[in-house]
Amino acid sequence: IFLFIPVFLIIGERWRIIIFEDHKISLKESIKMCLAGGCLNSVVPSTIGQLSKAYFLKKENITFKRGINFIICEKILDIFSVCIWFLTGLLLIRKYNYLYTTLIFLCIFVIVITLFYFGFNFGKSNIFKKLFWFLFKYELINNMIIDTYIYILK
């Protein structure tokens, strides 16, 4: 129970950052949406309860279709963060056989695809910069990322 509050504060802030491009909502409202989705997830099968977030966004004058897009974006970020932790664990184990090598390359592939997914809106959206702020902390890394995207988009 003690860790429940910080976890939902982080999840609520992430949800608020994702939605921020279309609509400004308070942290309190985003936490309410996340709690409602979590509550419904315990009642309905799979993670269908997350669709309730799109319903609550409809009340905030965001279309249901756009709300579904936000949920998909959030799930992509979930997969990205799981792959980061999984890759970190695999690299710390240092057991390099066929299975571990395959899993390492799979994690790297998912991470790169996720970065490209958010990167193609690079010039139009600040979501990428807000969620991956640590990549832009140093000017050298920032320039490398921009140069890579310019090279790929040519």
Side-chain angles (χ1 to χ4, degrees), residues 77 80-81 84 111 115 127-142 145:
L77 288 172
F80 175 79
S81 61
I84 292 284
I111 290 167
L115 289 175
I127 291 177
F128 185 78
K129 284 188 178 181
K130 286 180 182 177
L131 292 174
F132 303 110
W133 60 269
F134 55 89
L135 293 177
F136 297 96
K137 188 174 181 180
Y138 302 102
E139 189 173 337
L140 177 65
I141 297 173
N142 189 4
I145 293 171

Short mmCIF file of all heavy atoms in Angstrom, two decimals, residues 77 80-81 84 111 115 127-142 145:
data_model
loop_
_atom_site.label_atom_id
_atom_site.label_comp_id
_atom_site.label_asym_id
_atom_site.label_seq_id
_atom_site.Cartn_x
_atom_site.Cartn_y
_atom_site.Cartn_z
N LEU A 77 4.89 2.54 -24.64
CA LEU A 77 5.85 2.97 -23.61
C LEU A 77 6.03 1.92 -22.53
O LEU A 77 7.14 1.75 -22.01
CB LEU A 77 5.40 4.29 -22.99
CG LEU A 77 5.54 5.51 -23.88
CD1 LEU A 77 4.89 6.71 -23.22
CD2 LEU A 77 6.99 5.78 -24.19
N PHE A 80 8.31 -0.63 -23.99
CA PHE A 80 9.65 -0.04 -24.04
C PHE A 80 10.34 -0.13 -22.69
O PHE A 80 11.50 -0.55 -22.59
CB PHE A 80 9.54 1.42 -24.50
CG PHE A 80 10.84 2.17 -24.49
CD1 PHE A 80 11.75 2.01 -25.51
CD2 PHE A 80 11.13 3.04 -23.45
CE1 PHE A 80 12.94 2.71 -25.51
CE2 PHE A 80 12.33 3.74 -23.44
CZ PHE A 80 13.23 3.57 -24.47
N SER A 81 9.64 0.26 -21.63
CA SER A 81 10.27 0.26 -20.30
C SER A 81 10.56 -1.17 -19.83
O SER A 81 11.60 -1.41 -19.21
CB SER A 81 9.41 1.00 -19.28
OG SER A 81 8.16 0.39 -19.15
N ILE A 84 13.71 -2.22 -21.55
CA ILE A 84 14.89 -1.58 -20.96
C ILE A 84 15.34 -2.37 -19.72
O ILE A 84 16.52 -2.69 -19.56
CB ILE A 84 14.60 -0.12 -20.58
CG1 ILE A 84 14.40 0.74 -21.82
CG2 ILE A 84 15.69 0.46 -19.68
CD1 ILE A 84 15.66 1.10 -22.55
N ILE A 111 13.44 -1.69 -28.53
CA ILE A 111 13.81 -0.35 -28.08
C ILE A 111 14.03 0.59 -29.26
O ILE A 111 13.54 1.72 -29.28
CB ILE A 111 15.06 -0.43 -27.18
CG1 ILE A 111 14.70 -1.10 -25.86
CG2 ILE A 111 15.66 0.96 -26.95
CD1 ILE A 111 15.90 -1.51 -25.03
N LEU A 115 11.82 3.91 -30.26
CA LEU A 115 12.43 5.23 -30.43
C LEU A 115 12.10 5.81 -31.80
O LEU A 115 11.83 7.01 -31.93
CB LEU A 115 13.94 5.15 -30.23
CG LEU A 115 14.39 4.92 -28.79
CD1 LEU A 115 15.90 4.75 -28.74
CD2 LEU A 115 13.95 6.04 -27.88
N ILE A 127 6.42 15.25 -27.22
CA ILE A 127 6.25 14.06 -26.40
C ILE A 127 7.56 13.29 -26.30
O ILE A 127 7.97 12.87 -25.23
CB ILE A 127 5.13 13.15 -26.95
CG1 ILE A 127 3.78 13.83 -26.77
CG2 ILE A 127 5.14 11.81 -26.24
CD1 ILE A 127 2.63 13.05 -27.34
N PHE A 128 8.23 13.13 -27.44
CA PHE A 128 9.50 12.40 -27.46
C PHE A 128 10.51 13.05 -26.53
O PHE A 128 11.16 12.39 -25.74
CB PHE A 128 10.02 12.33 -28.90
CG PHE A 128 11.25 11.50 -29.06
CD1 PHE A 128 11.16 10.12 -29.09
CD2 PHE A 128 12.49 12.08 -29.19
CE1 PHE A 128 12.27 9.33 -29.23
CE2 PHE A 128 13.63 11.30 -29.34
CZ PHE A 128 13.51 9.92 -29.36
N LYS A 129 10.62 14.37 -26.60
CA LYS A 129 11.59 15.07 -25.75
C LYS A 129 11.19 15.02 -24.28
O LYS A 129 12.04 14.96 -23.41
CB LYS A 129 11.74 16.52 -26.20
CG LYS A 129 12.57 16.65 -27.45
CD LYS A 129 12.85 18.10 -27.74
CE LYS A 129 13.73 18.22 -28.96
NZ LYS A 129 14.06 19.61 -29.26
N LYS A 130 9.90 15.05 -23.98
CA LYS A 130 9.46 15.03 -22.59
C LYS A 130 9.65 13.66 -21.96
O LYS A 130 10.03 13.54 -20.80
CB LYS A 130 8.00 15.44 -22.48
CG LYS A 130 7.78 16.91 -22.68
CD LYS A 130 6.33 17.26 -22.55
CE LYS A 130 6.11 18.74 -22.81
NZ LYS A 130 4.71 19.09 -22.76
N LEU A 131 9.37 12.59 -22.73
CA LEU A 131 9.46 11.25 -22.17
C LEU A 131 10.89 10.73 -22.13
O LEU A 131 11.24 9.95 -21.26
CB LEU A 131 8.57 10.29 -22.97
CG LEU A 131 7.08 10.55 -22.84
CD1 LEU A 131 6.31 9.65 -23.78
CD2 LEU A 131 6.62 10.33 -21.42
N PHE A 132 11.71 11.15 -23.08
CA PHE A 132 13.09 10.68 -23.14
C PHE A 132 14.04 11.84 -22.92
O PHE A 132 15.01 12.01 -23.62
CB PHE A 132 13.36 10.00 -24.49
CG PHE A 132 12.44 8.86 -24.76
CD1 PHE A 132 11.47 8.95 -25.74
CD2 PHE A 132 12.52 7.70 -24.02
CE1 PHE A 132 10.61 7.90 -25.98
CE2 PHE A 132 11.66 6.65 -24.26
CZ PHE A 132 10.70 6.75 -25.24
N TRP A 133 13.76 12.65 -21.90
CA TRP A 133 14.53 13.86 -21.60
C TRP A 133 16.00 13.55 -21.36
O TRP A 133 16.86 14.35 -21.67
CB TRP A 133 13.95 14.58 -20.40
CG TRP A 133 13.95 13.74 -19.17
CD1 TRP A 133 12.94 12.93 -18.75
CD2 TRP A 133 15.00 13.59 -18.22
NE1 TRP A 133 13.30 12.29 -17.61
CE2 TRP A 133 14.56 12.66 -17.26
CE3 TRP A 133 16.27 14.13 -18.10
CZ2 TRP A 133 15.33 12.28 -16.18
CZ3 TRP A 133 17.05 13.74 -17.02
CH2 TRP A 133 16.58 12.82 -16.08
N PHE A 134 16.28 12.36 -20.81
CA PHE A 134 17.66 12.03 -20.49
C PHE A 134 18.52 11.91 -21.73
O PHE A 134 19.74 12.07 -21.66
CB PHE A 134 17.72 10.74 -19.66
CG PHE A 134 17.03 9.58 -20.31
CD1 PHE A 134 17.70 8.75 -21.19
CD2 PHE A 134 15.70 9.31 -20.04
CE1 PHE A 134 17.07 7.68 -21.79
CE2 PHE A 134 15.05 8.25 -20.63
CZ PHE A 134 15.74 7.43 -21.51
N LEU A 135 17.90 11.63 -22.89
CA LEU A 135 18.67 11.56 -24.14
C LEU A 135 19.07 12.94 -24.62
O LEU A 135 20.02 13.09 -25.38
CB LEU A 135 17.85 10.86 -25.23
CG LEU A 135 17.57 9.38 -25.01
CD1 LEU A 135 16.69 8.86 -26.13
CD2 LEU A 135 18.85 8.58 -24.92
N PHE A 136 18.34 13.96 -24.21
CA PHE A 136 18.59 15.31 -24.69
C PHE A 136 19.35 16.16 -23.66
O PHE A 136 19.52 17.35 -23.84
CB PHE A 136 17.27 15.99 -25.05
CG PHE A 136 16.58 15.29 -26.17
CD1 PHE A 136 15.59 14.36 -25.91
CD2 PHE A 136 16.93 15.54 -27.48
CE1 PHE A 136 14.97 13.70 -26.95
CE2 PHE A 136 16.31 14.89 -28.52
CZ PHE A 136 15.33 13.96 -28.25
N LYS A 137 19.79 15.52 -22.60
CA LYS A 137 20.49 16.24 -21.55
C LYS A 137 21.84 16.76 -22.04
O LYS A 137 22.27 17.84 -21.65
CB LYS A 137 20.67 15.33 -20.34
CG LYS A 137 21.22 16.01 -19.12
CD LYS A 137 21.23 15.07 -17.95
CE LYS A 137 21.76 15.78 -16.72
NZ LYS A 137 21.80 14.91 -15.57
N TYR A 138 22.48 16.00 -22.88
CA TYR A 138 23.78 16.39 -23.40
C TYR A 138 23.66 16.76 -24.87
O TYR A 138 23.02 16.06 -25.64
CB TYR A 138 24.78 15.25 -23.21
CG TYR A 138 24.92 14.84 -21.76
CD1 TYR A 138 24.29 13.70 -21.28
CD2 TYR A 138 25.65 15.63 -20.87
CE1 TYR A 138 24.39 13.35 -19.95
CE2 TYR A 138 25.75 15.28 -19.54
CZ TYR A 138 25.13 14.13 -19.09
OH TYR A 138 25.22 13.79 -17.77
N GLU A 139 24.28 17.84 -25.26
CA GLU A 139 24.13 18.36 -26.62
C GLU A 139 24.67 17.40 -27.66
O GLU A 139 24.09 17.26 -28.75
CB GLU A 139 24.86 19.71 -26.73
CG GLU A 139 24.58 20.42 -28.03
CD GLU A 139 25.18 21.81 -28.04
OE1 GLU A 139 25.41 22.38 -26.96
OE2 GLU A 139 25.39 22.31 -29.14
N LEU A 140 25.74 16.66 -27.34
CA LEU A 140 26.32 15.72 -28.30
C LEU A 140 25.32 14.62 -28.64
O LEU A 140 25.11 14.29 -29.82
CB LEU A 140 27.61 15.11 -27.73
CG LEU A 140 28.29 14.05 -28.58
CD1 LEU A 140 28.78 14.68 -29.89
CD2 LEU A 140 29.45 13.43 -27.83
N ILE A 141 24.67 14.04 -27.62
CA ILE A 141 23.67 12.99 -27.86
C ILE A 141 22.49 13.57 -28.62
O ILE A 141 21.96 12.94 -29.55
CB ILE A 141 23.22 12.35 -26.53
CG1 ILE A 141 24.41 11.67 -25.86
CG2 ILE A 141 22.09 11.37 -26.76
CD1 ILE A 141 24.12 11.15 -24.48
N ASN A 142 22.05 14.77 -28.27
CA ASN A 142 20.94 15.44 -28.95
C ASN A 142 21.25 15.59 -30.44
O ASN A 142 20.42 15.28 -31.30
CB ASN A 142 20.71 16.80 -28.29
CG ASN A 142 19.47 17.48 -28.78
OD1 ASN A 142 18.72 16.91 -29.56
ND2 ASN A 142 19.25 18.69 -28.33
N ILE A 145 21.13 12.21 -32.30
CA ILE A 145 19.76 11.74 -32.55
C ILE A 145 19.15 12.51 -33.73
O ILE A 145 18.56 11.91 -34.63
CB ILE A 145 18.89 11.89 -31.28
CG1 ILE A 145 19.38 10.93 -30.20
CG2 ILE A 145 17.43 11.65 -31.59
CD1 ILE A 145 18.75 11.15 -28.86
#
